[in-house]
Amino acid sequence: MGWIIPSAGTPILFQDLVQAFLAVLDGSRAVQKFETFFQEYLGQRYCFLVNSGTTAFYVILKALKRFSNRGDVLLPAYTAPSLILPINATGLKPRLVDVSLETFNLDVEKTGLLLSWETLCLLPVHMFGMPCAMDELVDVSKNEGAFVVDDAASSMGAVLNGQLTGTLGNVGFYSFNRGKNLSTLSGGLICTDDPELALAIEEEREKLDAPNGLSKLGIAAKVIGLALAVRPWFYTLFKPVISGFKYTALHPDFAAHQYTGLQAALGLAIFQRAEQIFKVRTSNGLFLYRHLAGRKGLVLPKILPRSKPAFNQFPIIIEDEQKRDLILNEIVASGVEATVLYPYPIHEVYDLGYDLTEDPFPNATYLSRHLLLIPTHPIMRRDDLEKVVQVFDQHFPKMN
Ligand SMILES: *Cc1c(COP(=O)(O)O)cnc(C)c1O
């Protein structure tokens, strides 16, 4: 029996863990240091760490509300459903926009039609680590006086026009949750260049509680688990246990807390290798792209010109819905944990008041039924990628 490659994975080394635990024992101001690190790395004047991407978005929304009475938040109908939680928690109204089946990201034209003087902010998401058309989206938002919150939760390291995703709006955020491009178990980062917004964000962040001693202990234990879980031998042997800790698609609520020093110290250690990790994500995705492009029955995403994706996973549309599960099972059986993230579009997860007798967001629904995701993290080796391509070879032969 071979080892299974997990669907998500940040390579955490033994020395990263040692460095993190020593730094905390030493009482170092790791959170502040990690924020300073990001100011430099992102080229943004203000950076704030919190306990999750969801909390980051929550803090941003609370800050934006201070500047405007508008109540609508526009977001893609196919993305992380948990984004609805902070919108509801701040008393704002989620308004969905359909996605494009070409780019798998927000449909720019439909976004323009839905933006209005009631729009507090637009939330463009760079799905699967592929930059979306931010230039156009920022332009149409500016015309309506709406803020742009750049959701780079799953696209850290991706670049558009020479700039990192997350830095392309008025304010942006990232996630360091398990499945993201780089993980410290959990975590969220807010960045902005706007001093007034930064002040409001800082005040809102101050209001968050520090995690208590028990949850800090829990985080410490899980951080060790995370480092082990990305080792295929460990993952294979302890899969039933690890599955219990996995991020489930829908959490009923979110806990907003501060980030921990241990995770910041771990992050500082892992980020020494960030460029390398993002580079492998890009090249693994492009390998799949090259080998699967131009096959009848598959649709690959259109990558924007002057963009460099940092693939969180590599997304593929399988036109024949019936075939998706078959392919998924065969890839998993070959030892690579492919997935079908977000099995439902947001309007099918939450009742947001839309009339569903005729699907208002058909492209989002289509993606949820047809997308298959292949891991691109650095634990995927060339022969793992080749195994995946071989499964496709059998069902979607190469055309000449
Ligand atoms: C994961 C994710 C989030 C939420 O981040 P958490 O740290 O899991 O709370 C938000 N937006 C997108 C696009 C994501 O992929």
Side-chain angles (χ1 to χ4, degrees):
M1 184 182 110
W3 305 131
I4 303 167
I5 305 288
S7 61
T10 293
I12 298 175
L13 305 177
F14 181 63
Q15 54 264 41
D16 297 332
L17 285 179
V18 172
Q19 198 174 323
F21 279 97
L22 286 180
V24 171
L25 289 179
D26 199 29
S28 79
R29 305 171 62 79
V31 174
Q32 211 173 42
K33 280 189 200 160
F34 202 25
E35 286 174 350
T36 308
F37 166 85
F38 279 117
Q39 288 169 350
E40 178 126 344
Y41 176 73
L42 301 171
Q44 294 269 291
R45 273 204 276 173
Y46 310 96
C47 291
F48 306 95
L49 286 157
V50 292
N51 72 322
S52 73
T54 308
T55 301
F57 186 38
Y58 174 66
V59 168
I60 290 169
L61 290 177
K62 291 224 289 178
L64 291 182
K65 277 181 75 172
R66 298 188 184 193
F67 295 90
S68 163
N69 291 323
R70 297 174 176 206
D72 288 355
V73 177
L74 260 60
L75 74 161
Y78 181 77
T79 186
S82 54
L83 285 167
I84 298 300
L85 299 173
I87 301 176
N88 286 342
T90 44
L92 296 164
K93 188 170 160 33
R95 304 254 299 163
L96 303 178
V97 187
D98 209 357
V99 291
S100 150
L101 292 182
E102 240 184 279
T103 61
F104 304 0
N105 271 319
L106 266 184
D107 182 311
V108 175
E109 204 172 314
K110 288 176 183 154
T111 308
L113 292 173
L114 281 171
L115 276 159
S116 77
W117 55 269
E118 289 178 288
T119 311
L120 173 67
C121 63
L122 172 68
L123 182 80
V125 179
H126 312 279
M127 286 300 287
F128 311 116
M130 304 181 301
C132 67
M134 278 303 265
D135 293 355
E136 285 106 314
L137 291 168
V138 167
D139 277 349
V140 286
S141 303
K142 265 197 192 145
N143 288 342
E144 292 293 342
F147 289 102
V148 176
V149 180
D150 187 353
D151 181 346
S154 61
S155 69
M156 189 163 239
V159 175
L160 179 67
N161 299 327
Q163 272 188 293
L164 285 164
T165 57
T167 68
L168 301 162
N170 300 94
V171 52
F173 69 93
Y174 303 88
S175 164
F176 304 128
N177 207 337
R178 273 148 281 195
K180 309 304 181 178
N181 280 2
L182 245 169
S183 177
T184 60
L185 183 73
S186 56
L189 175 76
I190 304 168
C191 67
T192 184
D193 252 345
D194 180 327
E196 284 178 55
L197 255 179
L199 195 62
I201 289 166
E202 185 164 25
E203 286 177 8
E204 292 298 340
R205 203 259 309 250
E206 287 296 304
K207 295 181 191 166
L208 301 178
D209 293 329
N212 63 33
L214 197 62
S215 50
K216 276 197 201 161
L217 217 59
I219 287 171
K222 285 187 208 161
V223 158
I224 296 172
L226 180 74
L228 287 169
V230 297
R231 282 143 223 270
W233 64 268
F234 186 90
Y235 185 74
T236 309
L237 294 176
F238 291 91
K239 199 160 175 284
V241 185
I242 295 166
S243 301
F245 283 99
K246 271 205 180 161
Y247 186 77
T248 46
L250 195 58
H251 7 214
D253 202 0
F254 67 100
H257 284 296
Q258 293 172 17
Y259 194 55
T260 67
L262 175 66
Q263 288 168 292
L266 178 68
L268 279 164
I270 302 173
F271 260 85
Q272 302 304 315
R273 299 189 303 279
E275 279 313 314
Q276 184 53 31
I277 289 171
F278 299 149
K279 218 167 118 184
V280 176
R281 286 185 171 281
T282 304
S283 63
N284 281 350
L286 293 179
F287 178 92
L288 290 169
Y289 204 111
R290 277 198 307 281
H291 287 83
L292 299 176
R295 297 193 190 205
K296 197 166 177 305
L298 300 181
V299 179
L300 305 187
K302 184 181 165 208
I303 309 295
L304 290 191
R306 288 185 297 152
S307 81
K308 190 184 76 179
F311 291 102
N312 180 244
Q313 310 236 60
F314 188 76
I316 302 166
I317 286 181
I318 312 231
E319 286 180 339
D320 179 352
E321 192 177 333
Q322 259 69 52
K323 266 195 174 168
R324 182 174 73 161
D325 283 347
L326 180 79
I327 311 270
L328 173 70
N329 292 337
E330 286 187 20
I331 295 174
V332 172
S334 83
V336 172
E337 204 176 57
T339 55
V340 290
L341 196 67
Y342 311 139
Y344 302 98
I346 292 185
H347 59 290
E348 287 186 0
V349 177
Y350 293 100
D351 180 4
L352 301 178
Y354 290 104
D355 177 2
L356 300 186
T357 43
E358 192 181 333
D359 193 339
F361 311 104
N363 292 349
T365 307
Y366 184 90
L367 282 189
S368 72
R369 311 265 197 272
H370 292 260
L371 268 189
L372 182 64
L373 302 172
I374 312 294
T376 49
H377 54 66
I379 298 142
M380 283 286 282
R381 302 282 170 199
R382 183 52 57 94
D383 49 322
D384 300 313
L385 294 166
E386 277 165 2
K387 273 192 272 182
V388 171
V389 172
Q390 276 162 22
V391 171
F392 281 101
D393 282 341
Q394 281 160 28
H395 298 274
F396 305 92
K398 254 187 276 190
M399 295 177 296
N400 293 308

